[in-house]
């Protein structure tokens, strides 16, 4: 009953991070396979995964191919109902699904302007008005989730859930570009990147060096805070 997860470069592939956390954080058995996004082997690596074309891709023990993280999330929750991927309470479960869906389809300004990178912190990055609007929306739905779940700090829905999985790369963006958010939101982002699973993912990514480093910003940099 082991899953095969196909991912991109750990330092940059935000969607791969989501797919990996779904398996790692909820104790599901898996093997990881790296797709060569930067090495030129991507087409060959994807050949046996048709019709998937983007990472991550999940191959089930039944040899089913599943692309798109929302589909992966629902499939894993369906196959492992006791693993706790979604909140137990129906209302919280519906809200967590809403958060994941909005993350998957929205926040395009933030995602375009601040590609995920886990190597360093870009200082003096100046966010556009559109990025600031995305950050405002982000904090709005995080606050609403906390009011609903009754948790003032920690994970969004009380216990760790797929909502936290989907926002993990966003937390990395907030930290990696030193974006302006409230103290409460920054604390959540720091909690996310300091989680042992996230730190393990980042450490594995740092084993690969890039010259030149993708996604230059021209900003001075400082060390990652975790």
């Amino acid at each position: 009953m082991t899953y095969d997860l196909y991912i991109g470069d750990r330092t940059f592939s935000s969607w791969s991070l989501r797919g990996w956390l779904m398996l790692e954080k909820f104790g599901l058995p898996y093997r990881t396979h790296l797709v060569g996004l930067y090495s030129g082997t991507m087409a060959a690596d994807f050949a046996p995964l048709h019709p998937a074309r983007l990472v991550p891709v999940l191959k089930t023990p039944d040899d089913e191919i599943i692309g798109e993280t929302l589909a992966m999330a629902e499939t894993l929750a369906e196959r492992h109902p006791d693993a706790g991927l979604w909140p137990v309470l129906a209302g919280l479960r519906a809200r967590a699904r809403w958060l994941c869906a909005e993350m998957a389809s929205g926040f395009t300004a933030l995602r375009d302007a601040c590609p995920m990178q886990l190597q360093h912190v870009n200082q003096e990055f100046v966010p556009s008005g559109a990025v600031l609007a995305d950050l405002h929306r982000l904090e709005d739905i995080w606050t609403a989730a906390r009011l609903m779940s009754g948790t003032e700090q920690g994970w969004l829905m009380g216990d760790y859930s797929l909502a936290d999985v989907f926002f993990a790369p966003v937390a990395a963006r907030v930290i990696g570009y030193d974006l302006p958010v409230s103290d409460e939101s920054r604390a959540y982002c720091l909690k996310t990147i300091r989680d042992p699973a996230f730190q393990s993912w980042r450490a594995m990514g740092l084993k690969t060096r890039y010259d030149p480093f993708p996604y230059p910003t021209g900003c001075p940099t400082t060390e990652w805070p975790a």
Side-chain angles (χ1 to χ4, degrees):
M1 287 295 292
T2 299
Y3 294 92
D4 287 283
L5 180 69
Y6 296 81
I7 64 170
D9 296 58
R10 291 178 175 88
T11 300
F12 308 109
S13 183
S14 57
W15 292 104
S16 294
L17 171 60
R18 292 182 177 97
W20 183 81
L21 286 172
M22 291 180 202
L23 298 161
E24 175 70 17
K25 287 292 291 183
F26 297 99
L28 305 181
Y30 68 94
R31 293 180 292 259
T32 302
H33 309 272
L34 187 64
V35 172
L37 301 184
Y38 296 92
S39 64
T41 64
M42 184 173 178
D45 294 338
F46 265 110
L49 302 174
H50 183 78
R53 63 185 181 91
L54 299 171
V55 289
V57 181
L58 185 69
K59 186 176 181 181
T60 73
D62 308 315
D63 291 331
E64 297 172 353
I65 303 297
I66 303 169
E68 298 296 335
T69 49
L70 281 174
M72 291 168 54
E74 290 291 4
T75 299
L76 291 172
E78 183 180 73
R79 293 171 67 106
H80 304 276
D82 298 325
L85 282 83
W86 293 120
V88 174
L89 297 178
L92 293 181
R93 191 163 61 249
R95 178 60 60 90
R97 284 191 167 105
W98 173 0
L99 292 177
C100 292
E102 183 162 345
M103 179 62 255
S105 62
F107 302 99
T108 53
L110 173 60
R111 287 155 57 180
D112 289 345
C114 305
M116 190 187 82
Q117 59 80 28
L118 306 181
Q119 180 167 295
H120 52 248
V121 175
N122 292 291
Q123 296 181 307
E124 302 176 17
F125 178 82
V126 180
S128 67
V131 171
L132 292 175
D134 274 356
L135 292 173
H136 178 77
R137 175 58 182 171
L138 186 71
E139 296 204 77
D140 190 25
I141 61 175
W142 283 359
T143 299
R146 293 193 182 286
L147 287 173
M148 188 175 190
S149 64
T151 177
E152 295 183 1
Q153 56 186 358
W155 305 120
L156 293 174
M157 311 309 298
D159 294 328
Y160 190 92
S161 74
L162 285 168
D164 302 295
V165 166
F166 271 71
F167 283 105
V170 174
R173 286 176 164 95
V174 170
I175 298 302
Y177 292 83
D178 196 22
L179 297 175
V181 294
S182 66
D183 290 344
E184 292 79 9
S185 292
R186 184 164 296 277
Y188 172 68
C189 293
L190 287 170
K191 179 178 178 65
T192 298
I193 69 166
R194 287 171 176 162
D195 182 76
F198 190 105
Q199 291 198 51
S200 176
W201 171 272
R202 178 173 181 265
M204 288 186 285
L206 292 181
K207 293 178 181 179
T208 302
R209 294 295 176 179
Y210 300 88
D211 186 17
F213 188 77
Y215 311 123
T217 63
C219 298
T221 62
T222 189
E223 292 185 358
W224 191 257

